[in-house]
Amino acid sequence: MKKKLLFVCLGNICRSPSAEAVMNGFLKINMLDEYFECDSAGTGGWHVGERADSRMRTHAAKRDYDLTSIARQFNPNRDFDEFDIILGMDTQNVSDLEGMARNKNDLDKIKSMTDFCTRYTHYHSVPDPYYGGADGFELVLDILEDACEGLLKQIDR
Ligand code: 4NP
């Protein structure tokens, strides 16, 4: 059975769809895509049904990541059962997820994305790029590439 990873941010239009695309890219390169499945969601519902932010898509495309996901809101009653690892992009996402956990089993699935960084270790959140400039979108991708590399090394198929 495939191991299922869910990446979670606030809006599901910038950071978590990027995490999903970066991880899918890494899995494919390492020929591990048949063992894992990735998805993303937002704790908020403002952007449900939308494609990823066009600025985020443009920056990701420059690194050959194709952001195809459509925003959806995290659903505790389905997602905690469906997924094996649930990764919050920032400390607020992690605490919001913890607040929605129904039991210890749910809580044990929640991880912070930046805990898997080996180079960007001074970041405890993937910073929200929504109200900032181009540098913020590049930083998101830099941190996510680092974290996905670490995640890939740590997860067992
Ligand atoms: P994300 O970025 O959580 O990385 O998708 C945001 C997108 C939208 C908003 C905030 C953050 N918003 O406030 O609408």
Side-chain angles (χ1 to χ4, degrees):
M1 215 163 73
K2 286 190 179 193
K3 189 166 260 188
K4 299 185 77 173
L5 314 178
L6 182 66
F7 300 96
V8 177
C9 63
L10 178 61
N12 192 211
I13 55 169
C14 295
R15 293 165 293 173
S16 62
S18 299
E20 180 187 349
V22 170
M23 195 62 185
N24 276 329
F26 283 14
L27 289 169
K28 194 155 192 183
I29 288 169
N30 289 280
M31 290 180 287
L32 289 168
D33 44 330
E34 64 178 297
Y35 302 106
F36 295 94
E37 196 171 309
C38 300
D39 191 11
S40 64
T43 56
W46 311 283
H47 298 280
V48 168
E50 293 177 20
R51 289 195 67 186
D53 186 287
S54 62
R55 298 164 297 173
M56 193 73 252
R57 280 192 274 133
T58 300
H59 285 276
K62 288 197 286 176
R63 303 187 191 198
D64 281 339
Y65 302 117
D66 189 14
L67 270 58
T68 55
S69 77
I70 301 296
R72 71 171 181 90
Q73 190 165 17
F74 181 78
N75 177 340
N77 287 320
R78 197 190 61 202
D79 291 328
F80 278 122
D81 294 329
E82 186 89 1
F83 291 90
D84 301 294
I85 307 175
I86 300 173
L87 296 124
M89 295 298 115
D90 65 28
T91 52
Q92 185 63 53
N93 305 146
V94 169
S95 70
D96 288 343
L97 286 166
E98 286 169 349
M100 289 186 271
R102 304 157 303 175
N103 51 48
K104 171 142 188 341
N105 195 41
D106 290 355
L107 275 176
D108 288 344
K109 294 184 177 187
I110 302 167
K111 314 278 177 209
S112 176
M113 190 66 180
T114 49
D115 283 352
F116 295 93
C117 286
T118 60
R119 287 175 279 124
Y120 287 81
T121 50
H122 51 296
Y123 282 95
H124 299 288
S125 285
V126 182
D128 184 346
Y130 193 68
Y131 293 105
D135 289 357
F137 291 91
E138 289 297 321
L139 179 62
V140 165
L141 293 165
D142 289 337
I143 297 173
L144 289 177
E145 287 178 335
D146 185 19
C148 285
E149 211 175 284
L151 185 57
L152 199 62
K153 283 189 187 134
Q154 286 197 33
I155 44 172
D156 308 312
R157 64 190 206 204

